[in-house]
């Protein structure tokens, strides 16, 4: 066990003293780091770029949209299966992003891919989907009772590990 040194942090020894923290002092009493200058306020590139000297810097890439797998569950009062199927088919035709839609008289599940910047955007789009298309697609006035949004890597990992619900039938609108 080492002896503590005057000026050492509590619980440390002179040999293990932290001097690189802003405000810390070196053994001579000088600041551990020089005082901030105007240069300290500039942003430095941490990785050397492959561009030639004097070439213009590349503009920052805009936020990239990612693919999200969405499962939207809706439920409500029983409705005629033929009317429900027709409404789901109109929705699938108008919005070709549907992977599958399964339905019963009192509930339905929509599985599809959404392109969005982040999970918040994908979830917000999914939560608006049913309400915004009730009238145009002739959907029943059901409420959203479930939502799952996962990124593409998570979806594929689940499928590879055998977890998650297997696809009932590839694409289209099908009864449970």
């Amino acid at each position: 066990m080492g002896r503590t040194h005057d000026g050492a942090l509590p619980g440390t020894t002179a040999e293990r003293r932290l001097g690189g923290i802003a405000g810390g002092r070196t053994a001579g009493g000088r600041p551990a780091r020089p005082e901030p200058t105007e240069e300290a306020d500039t942003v430095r590139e941490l990785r050397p770029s492959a561009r030639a000297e004097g070439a213009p810097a590349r503009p920052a890439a805009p936020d990239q949209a990612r693919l999200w797998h969405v499962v939207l569950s809706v439920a409500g009062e029983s409705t005629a299966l033929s009317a429900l199927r027709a409404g789901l088919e109109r929705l699938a035709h108008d919005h070709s992003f549907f992977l599958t839609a399964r339905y019963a008289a009192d509930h339905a599940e929509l599985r599809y891919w959404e392109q969005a910047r982040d999970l918040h955007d994908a979830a917000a789009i999914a939560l608006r989907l049913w309400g915004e298309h009730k009238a145009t697609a002739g959907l029943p006035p059901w409420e959203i009772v479930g939502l799952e949004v996962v990124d593409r890597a998570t979806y594929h990992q689940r499928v590879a590990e055998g977890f998650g619900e297997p696809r009932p039938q590839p694409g289209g609108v099908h009864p449970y």
Side-chain angles (χ1 to χ4, degrees):
M1 178 174 297
R3 295 178 302 148
T4 60
H5 181 274
D6 289 341
L9 294 174
T12 63
T13 64
E15 295 83 28
R16 297 184 65 197
R17 199 168 107 210
L18 300 174
I21 298 176
R25 303 261 174 207
T26 61
R30 295 181 312 274
R33 283 201 245 172
E35 293 298 317
T37 63
E38 284 185 42
E39 263 184 34
D41 293 336
T42 62
V43 176
R44 292 182 291 146
E45 188 173 358
L46 295 178
R47 295 182 188 176
S49 65
R51 64 184 173 91
E53 284 276 332
R58 288 180 281 164
D63 289 337
Q64 296 292 324
R66 295 168 45 191
L67 283 177
W68 301 90
H69 186 260
V70 177
V71 179
L72 182 69
S73 300
V74 293
E77 303 239 351
S78 290
T79 188
L81 290 177
S82 60
L84 177 59
R85 181 181 178 98
L88 289 171
E89 286 176 344
R90 278 191 294 276
L91 182 60
H93 177 55
D94 291 344
H95 301 280
S96 58
F97 50 72
F98 276 106
L99 188 60
T100 59
R102 300 187 305 173
Y103 65 94
D106 61 348
H107 64 281
E109 177 185 86
L110 310 172
R111 293 176 169 265
Y112 64 95
W113 291 96
E114 184 64 63
Q115 187 172 6
R117 182 176 47 95
D118 58 20
L119 179 123
H120 293 101
D121 289 350
I125 293 167
L127 289 170
R128 290 192 310 263
L129 177 73
W130 191 261
E132 289 180 354
H133 296 285
K134 278 182 200 174
T136 58
L139 300 169
W142 290 348
E143 66 178 336
I144 296 171
V145 295
L147 174 65
E148 180 187 55
V149 181
V150 296
D151 68 346
R152 185 177 181 179
T154 302
Y155 173 79
H156 288 296
Q157 180 180 359
R158 286 181 179 178
V159 170
E161 292 174 351
F163 292 106
E165 239 175 277
R167 293 183 189 169
Q169 284 133 2
V173 176
H174 307 281
Y176 272 101

